[in-house]
Amino acid sequence: MRSLADEETFHPVIGPVAEAEALYVNQLQLRERLTNHSAEFIIWDVGLGAAANALTVLRATRDLPCAIRLISFDCTLEPMEFALQNADALGYFGGYENHLGKLLRDHRIEFRDGPQSVNWELHLGDFPSLLAQPAANSWPKPHAILFDAFSPAKNPAMWTLPLFTNLFRLLDPKRSCALPTYSRSTIMRVTLLLAGFFVGVGHATGEKEETTIAANTLELLDEPLDLRWLDRARRSHSAEPMIEPIYRIAPLTTESWEKLRQHPQFK
């Protein structure tokens, strides 16, 4: 699937299921975490799109006795509507078509799938604006975040320092939470660090040799960024986070560098 408005393709190269399995299911160790988790496991799905990430997560864990609460966000339902109309051609909807139809209509659905129970809700709107509203404080705190926005060049509002600062602020510091994303750019990693996250090298997917994973605890990172990466970031021409939703590249400012080198990850 391709968005003509944004001129970007959903899940390029390896397809939606393989990408979601590598980037989210395996990297977040969802099966292992759910096996050792007795309460409701909360996942924020940022960028519902055509629902491939969410459905891959549900399908990969459907045989486990678990309770999953999915909270999806998107500014439009058009990709999912189109995907449902072409479900046979896309091939990853098997068994979930009726559930997604109800989610489209009601923005909320509950169902059981064998031993798995699912509570799925949808927040429709501009994600940066939703995050900044007082109502965001009442959202259930996540154990995992699937972050899948279009690229910074096409959708800069979804990659700013204020957005990730607001996102980090909403996490429960006593609840371990990880956020993988497909980008490995220096500017993205600096942004996550300055927002408060610990940041590490993520699993390869498709043509990407590595991706990025962030968390509110170092224990969820297998390969945290190290001092060698920090030195490369200092010398990079594209490392300064975006404050405004306008795409641009720039080296680190003195202020950002001082904050970055004081991050507890590099102590």
Side-chain angles (χ1 to χ4, degrees), residues 3 18 21 37 44 50 72 81-82 97 99 111 124-125 151 165 169 171 182 186 203 226 233 244 247 252-254 265:
S3 168
E21 287 175 344
H37 189 85
W44 288 8
S72 292
E81 291 169 345
F82 178 85
E97 291 88 345
H99 297 314
F111 61 91
L124 187 62
S151 71
T165 300
R169 176 182 57 82
L171 303 182
Y182 61 83
T186 301
H203 292 186
D226 56 18
E244 301 294 333
Y247 181 67
L252 283 170
T253 63
T254 300
Q265 179 164 328

Side-chain angles (χ1 to χ4, degrees), residues 46-58:
V46 182
L48 171 66
N53 295 330
L55 291 183
T56 301
V57 164
L58 294 180

Side-chain angles (χ1 to χ4, degrees), residues 11-265:
H11 312 285
V13 185
I14 61 173
V17 175
E19 182 181 73
E21 287 175 344
L23 190 57
Y24 301 118
V25 175
N26 297 335
Q27 185 160 217
L28 287 169
Q29 300 180 330
L30 282 180
R31 289 186 59 84
E32 293 84 349
R33 291 178 70 189
L34 282 165
T35 298
N36 297 304
H37 189 85
S38 57
E40 191 175 53
F41 192 88
I42 298 162
I43 301 172
W44 288 8
D45 171 36
V46 182
L48 171 66
N53 295 330
L55 291 183
T56 301
V57 164
L58 294 180
R59 187 176 292 108
T61 57
R62 71 196 310 176
D63 63 317
L64 300 177
C66 60
I68 292 179
R69 184 165 186 174
L70 262 173
I71 305 176
S72 292
F73 303 88
D74 214 317
C75 62
T76 175
L77 297 179
E78 290 182 4
M80 194 163 75
E81 291 169 345
F82 178 85
L84 270 175
Q85 292 168 7
N86 296 274
D88 290 342
L90 290 170
Y92 62 83
F93 278 91
Y96 292 97
E97 291 88 345
N98 290 337
H99 297 314
L100 285 172
K102 181 173 174 55
L103 184 66
L104 276 173
R105 292 191 306 271
D106 303 337
H107 294 189
R108 181 182 296 274
I109 185 172
E110 294 185 42
F111 61 91
R112 292 198 64 87
D113 189 1
Q116 179 192 71
S117 66
V118 178
N119 184 327
W120 193 350
E121 62 188 81
L122 169 63
H123 293 261
L124 187 62
D126 175 67
F127 186 65
S129 298
L130 291 173
L131 272 187
Q133 293 177 2
N137 294 304
S138 65
W139 297 341
K141 307 303 184 183
H143 299 89
I145 300 173
L146 320 180
F147 196 88
D148 194 16
F150 283 141
S151 71
K154 298 294 185 180
N155 193 9
M158 288 293 291
W159 302 90
T160 67
L161 180 56
L163 180 139
F164 285 106
T165 300
N166 283 337
L167 186 57
F168 185 80
R169 176 182 57 82
L170 290 173
L171 303 182
D172 181 348
K174 298 179 181 179
R175 175 171 291 179
S176 297
C177 179
L179 178 158
T181 190
Y182 61 83
S183 174
R184 58 168 292 180
S185 70
T186 301
I187 186 173
M188 168 61 180
R189 291 173 171 180
V190 170
T191 299
L192 287 165
L193 286 161
L194 293 185
F197 289 93
F198 295 96
V199 180
V201 174
H203 292 186
T205 174
E207 295 178 342
K208 295 179 181 292
E209 295 180 357
E210 61 183 58
T211 54
T212 296
I213 183 167
N216 62 351
T217 173
L218 269 174
E219 285 67 30
L220 288 179
L221 304 182
D222 291 333
E223 189 179 345
L225 301 178
D226 56 18
L227 292 174
R228 288 179 299 173
W229 176 88
L230 185 63
D231 185 58
R232 291 197 302 272
R234 181 178 60 85
R235 294 182 279 108
S236 174
H237 72 283
S238 177
E240 180 65 17
M242 294 181 291
I243 304 301
E244 301 294 333
I246 301 171
Y247 181 67
R248 56 101 181 98
I249 58 174
L252 283 170
T253 63
T254 300
E255 181 182 5
S256 292
W257 166 244
E258 290 299 323
K259 290 179 180 179
L260 190 61
R261 71 187 189 94
Q262 294 298 321
H263 193 287
Q265 179 164 328

